[in-house]
């Protein structure tokens, strides 16, 4: 039988530090679920947090992880992009690149990977062959594009 978790209180009815406590405890619970690969449980928590904290970069990052794990690459890409633009957290760039690569969004994938590296986050060694191929593919296509 699945362990039941205490529901999060409605943030709209809380104030100041209680509101911050709800966000912090919700993030912690969602992170624990993600670390245990319990993405459906994490998604339930994060979706609830997103109602009251739609611009929180950590919430958006966790939404990206959860939606990616469920195969919803479009939602994952949107969430990773928003996580990056809201918090300028370069940790969102690598998973953004992976999701874009899987959707065959080659230019976006290459940009995300390059930006991740530019900001000091190396691409994992097991991804290097795919990144090299991506650079060759984009390089081969680029001369045929009419960009402004």
């Amino acid at each position: 039988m699945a362990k039941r978790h205490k529901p999060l209180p409605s943030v709209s009815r809380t104030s100041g530090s209680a509101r911050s406590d709800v966000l912090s405890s919700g993030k912690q619970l969602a992170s624990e679920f993600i670390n245990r690969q319990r993405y459906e449980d994490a998604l339930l928590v994060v979706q609830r947090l997103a109602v009251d904290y739609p611009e929180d970069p950590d919430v958006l990052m966790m939404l990206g992880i959860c939606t990616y794990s469920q195969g919803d690459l479009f939602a994952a890409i949107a969430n990773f992009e928003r996580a990056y633009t809201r918090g300028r957290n370069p940790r969102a760039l690598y998973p953004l690149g992976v999701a874009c690569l899987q959707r065959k969004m080659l230019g976006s994938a290459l940009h995300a990977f390059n930006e991740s590296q530019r900001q000091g986050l190396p691409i994992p060694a097991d991804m290097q062959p795919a990144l090299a191929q991506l650079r060759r593919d984009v390089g081969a296509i680029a001369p045929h594009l009419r960009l402004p």
Side-chain angles (χ1 to χ4, degrees):
M1 185 162 118
K3 181 179 177 186
R4 306 266 319 150
H5 297 278
K6 184 169 83 173
L8 294 172
S10 173
V11 175
S12 59
R13 295 186 184 143
T14 59
S15 63
S17 66
R19 192 173 157 84
S20 176
D21 290 345
V22 169
L23 177 60
S24 178
S25 64
K27 285 182 186 180
Q28 183 177 356
L29 180 60
S31 291
E32 289 172 12
F33 284 143
I34 288 170
N35 289 338
R36 293 184 188 133
Q37 298 182 355
R38 293 177 51 189
Y39 300 110
E40 288 182 18
D41 292 329
L43 185 59
L44 293 173
V45 173
V46 175
Q47 285 174 330
R48 177 76 184 269
L49 289 173
V51 169
D52 293 309
Y53 303 96
E55 302 301 316
D56 184 273
D58 295 329
V59 171
L60 293 167
M61 182 74 174
M62 287 186 275
L63 271 172
I65 292 166
C66 292
T67 52
Y68 178 87
S69 74
Q70 293 188 329
D72 187 351
L73 297 177
F74 286 118
I77 289 167
N79 286 310
F80 290 137
E81 285 178 338
R82 287 181 56 216
Y84 178 69
T85 59
R86 299 302 185 270
R88 289 293 170 205
N89 185 341
R91 290 181 309 121
L93 292 168
Y94 176 75
L96 173 61
V98 171
C100 287
L101 184 59
Q102 290 181 351
R103 288 295 314 153
K104 306 290 189 230
M105 299 167 62
L106 304 183
S108 296
L110 184 57
H111 176 73
F113 290 138
N114 286 342
E115 188 64 17
S116 179
Q117 288 181 310
R118 190 182 73 72
Q119 293 196 29
L121 295 176
I123 304 301
D126 64 338
M127 190 63 179
Q128 290 299 326
L131 181 56
Q133 183 62 50
L134 176 62
R135 287 188 172 123
R136 286 190 296 273
D137 292 346
V138 171
I141 294 169
H144 304 289
L145 300 176
R146 295 178 190 240
L147 301 174

